Amino acid sequence: MSRAGELVVVKLVPDPAEAPHVRDMVSWALGGMAASAIARKLNVEGVPTKAADMTARVTARRDRGVSKPLDRTVWVSSTVPRILRDPRLAGYAAERQGTKRAVLRDNSGAPLVSHEGIVPADDWWRLQDVLDGRTPHVVRQGGRSVPSLLGGAGMLFCGVCGSSMVTDKRNDKQLYRCNRAQSGAVQGHGGLAINMDAADDVVARTVWSRLTALDPRDPEDLEWLAEAARRFAAQADTGERQAELAAARAELEHVREALRTLYVDRQAGLYAGAVGDQMFRESVERLTAHEARTAGRLEALGTSEADTVAIPSEWTAPEGDTLGPESTWAGWDLSARREFLALFVDRVSVARSVGRGRNANTTERVAVHWTEVPAK
């Protein structure tokens, strides 16, 4: 707190006792740790919950500073996302919208910053992408990272139910399997799985084959290559404009999710009566206006992206085996290979196997869905 003339200025700052734990939670979530695992870790490390902290303060006041043993409250998985979703972590002002807190914005649609954030705003927006499943991360197995080309890129999906596919290991063989198949929740495909190396090889060879066979007179090939070039430019752009563009995309999805939640809450009867109906209409109008402003800002940023940027020429005219030991592909690490595939492929789906063992139609099961220009 500081005094300027007769005006007393109060500056909100992160709680030094709580902030480190919150930063840890953000870091763990960005690394792919599930909410349940984060809650377990906090309990194991003895991190007090907010409820326990408030109880301790009240007790201390009542006992005039004499502390007594308290019943410890524990972390649960539902508490973790509620904390990580809170815009106040990034220093934003927030308002209640149904059961959630949403970013409070000014008339231009920009988020209102009310205090010092516990984490940088860019990290918070990136965290929302992770929580919404829009940002891929390495799949965790047994507490350890399992490196994989397609699973780690977040582009591999079950061709039967549409669920994401994760890494697995059976009889010392690395596999991709449907994330929902083993639960029995989806009928019709059982434990859908495919050899990891075989699937990775099919996708990589399919991409390189199309690159080497590009027809400069084919409009579809030209559009495909142009979108890949745009993505390549975005990957290389580490400037302020690209960061603002990514943040605007995340903000737009965040606003739309708030709108969806608002309608779900109304259907659940949370806005009953005349007062509730008025609150609902005002919230919809405010969010719709924010959505329009954010979409407009996103479009403006998109049109300012770099003009035509060519992808490296050696990609369209490789020499020898495109996946051979002397190839460009062989010289890349796993991260570079994922970034390369993300330029040309939006998703990969795996169909149900027809046979087993040597009779399985492994290569025919993999379908590559080429990158498309995103709808405005």
Side-chain angles (χ1 to χ4, degrees):
M1 182 173 69
S2 62
R3 186 176 296 275
E6 296 300 321
L7 178 65
V8 177
V9 180
V10 178
K11 180 181 180 181
L12 298 178
V13 295
D15 187 317
E18 297 179 359
H21 299 308
V22 175
R23 294 189 186 103
D24 285 341
M25 293 169 66
V26 171
S27 177
W28 297 335
L30 287 173
M33 187 179 292
S36 57
I38 291 176
R40 284 195 301 270
K41 189 173 180 65
L42 292 170
N43 287 324
V44 169
E45 296 182 359
V47 178
T49 64
K50 190 72 171 177
D53 182 60
M54 290 300 296
T55 302
R57 293 180 185 180
V58 172
T59 303
R61 289 195 188 101
R62 289 178 177 175
D63 296 341
R64 297 182 179 178
V66 179
S67 61
K68 295 181 179 180
L70 297 171
D71 293 333
R72 181 187 168 198
T73 58
V74 298
W75 289 90
V76 294
S77 58
S78 59
T79 303
V80 174
R82 177 173 56 80
I83 293 174
L84 298 179
R85 293 282 192 184
D86 197 324
R88 294 175 298 180
L89 297 186
Y92 294 139
E95 61 178 343
R96 283 280 187 184
Q97 289 180 354
T99 58
K100 298 182 179 180
R101 292 187 184 274
V103 177
L104 191 62
R105 302 171 184 273
D106 60 20
N107 292 333
S108 67
L112 289 173
V113 178
S114 62
H115 57 277
E116 180 183 342
I118 294 178
V119 297
D122 288 347
D123 287 352
W124 186 80
W125 285 114
R126 188 157 55 93
L127 175 63
Q128 306 316 298
D129 277 343
V130 171
L131 296 176
D132 291 334
R134 294 190 298 273
T135 299
H137 54 265
V138 177
V139 177
R140 308 281 178 176
Q141 295 286 343
R144 295 180 296 176
S145 296
V146 178
S148 61
L149 180 63
L150 300 177
M155 61 172 58
L156 189 62
F157 298 90
C158 173
V160 177
C161 70
S163 177
S164 60
M165 299 191 70
V166 297
T167 56
D168 198 0
K169 190 174 183 179
R170 299 176 188 172
N171 300 324
D172 294 327
K173 292 184 179 180
Q174 295 287 352
L175 305 172
Y176 292 121
R177 65 170 176 80
C178 174
N179 196 31
R180 298 176 63 194
Q182 288 189 342
S183 67
V186 180
Q187 301 296 322
H189 63 7
L192 187 144
I194 190 170
N195 182 277
M196 180 188 296
D197 291 337
D200 290 350
D201 185 78
V202 169
V203 174
R205 289 192 182 279
T206 301
V207 172
W208 282 106
S209 294
R210 183 171 180 182
L211 278 171
T212 56
L214 274 174
D215 184 352
R217 298 166 297 180
D218 187 337
E220 289 188 5
D221 277 359
L222 292 178
E223 183 179 10
W224 177 66
L225 195 62
E227 174 59 16
R230 187 194 66 79
R231 296 187 181 191
F232 181 65
Q235 281 185 359
D237 183 1
T238 58
E240 182 177 344
R241 188 205 59 79
Q242 185 60 31
E244 188 177 357
L245 185 64
R249 289 195 183 103
E251 287 185 34
L252 182 59
E253 182 59 31
H254 190 71
V255 172
R256 287 173 175 169
E257 178 60 26
L259 268 170
R260 287 190 286 268
T261 301
L262 197 63
Y263 281 104
V264 170
D265 287 346
R266 191 188 193 192
Q267 288 180 340
L270 298 184
Y271 289 93
V275 175
D277 187 60
Q278 180 181 352
M279 291 176 61
F280 173 78
R281 289 200 309 271
E282 291 175 351
S283 296
V284 169
E285 290 174 359
R286 185 164 55 251
L287 283 173
T288 302
H290 288 166
E291 179 187 27
R293 284 192 293 266
T294 306
R297 188 164 69 254
L298 181 61
E299 184 174 1
L301 287 167
T303 56
S304 68
E305 284 190 292
D307 294 333
T308 304
V309 177
I311 63 175
S313 59
E314 59 267 25
W315 291 4
T316 56
E319 296 181 0
D321 184 358
T322 54
L323 302 187
E326 303 299 324
S327 65
T328 300
W329 177 266
W332 288 337
D333 60 14
L334 188 60
S335 177
R337 291 180 179 181
R338 290 174 182 164
E339 291 178 354
F340 172 81
L341 292 181
L343 300 176
F344 304 100
V345 178
D346 275 343
R347 65 197 307 270
V348 176
S349 59
V350 178
R352 181 172 48 193
S353 176
V354 174
R356 293 182 177 274
R358 286 180 292 182
N359 296 323
N361 60 329
T362 302
T363 57
E364 290 81 8
R365 296 173 61 196
V366 181
V368 175
H369 303 266
W370 301 111
T371 183
E372 296 180 355
V373 178
K376 292 185 178 181

